[in-house]
Amino acid sequence: QVQLVQSGGGLVQAGGSLGLSCAASGSIADRLALGWYRQAPGKQRDFVARITFGGTTNYADSVKGRFTISRDNAKNTVYLQMNSLKPEDTAVYYCLGDLLGLNYWGKGTLVTVSS
């Protein structure tokens, strides 16, 4: 059983920065690939960033150069540092844990970017 507890989110002005975190717990928490997805109202949930246990990263084109994903394996925690935020980044952000193709989701947190 896996639990993913998210923190962060909130309201920020365009051009500003915001950080998100997600802590994984459970018997397989130390074996998860971790990542972030986001979903705007009326839209599909989109991939944002992913990081493996070994630290290999992957980003959506829309956030490259602005967002940074990182993880602390000792804490089983993944982070998303979001810089140069744009109004189109407004969405509910979800933490994802992945083990052998099985997905575990956090509850999501709202990020609102004002213009």
Side-chain angles (χ1 to χ4, degrees):
Q1 189 173 7
V2 174
Q3 290 181 303
L4 298 171
V5 180
Q6 299 183 215
S7 63
L11 176 65
V12 64
Q13 292 183 330
S17 298
L18 196 64
L20 307 178
S21 66
C22 175
S25 63
S27 61
I28 62 172
D30 58 351
R31 291 181 281 165
L32 294 170
L34 296 168
W36 296 92
Y37 283 68
R38 65 187 182 185
Q39 186 170 21
K43 298 183 179 179
Q44 295 184 0
R45 188 172 298 183
D46 294 328
F47 168 79
V48 176
R50 183 177 184 269
I51 185 167
T52 68
F53 185 84
T56 301
T57 59
N58 189 28
Y59 296 92
D61 288 342
S62 59
V63 306
K64 286 181 179 178
R66 300 190 297 119
F67 291 10
T68 301
I69 188 170
S70 61
R71 66 186 294 163
D72 183 342
N73 289 340
K75 298 180 179 179
N76 294 323
T77 300
V78 62
Y79 306 92
L80 186 68
Q81 179 63 44
M82 302 181 291
N83 299 325
S84 301
L85 282 162
K86 305 173 181 179
E88 51 263 44
D89 295 318
T90 296
V92 176
Y93 284 70
Y94 295 90
C95 178
L96 171 68
D98 181 350
L99 178 62
L100 302 176
L102 298 178
N103 295 334
Y104 304 88
W105 293 97
K107 66 180 182 180
T109 186
L110 178 63
V111 172
T112 302
V113 184
S114 62
S115 60

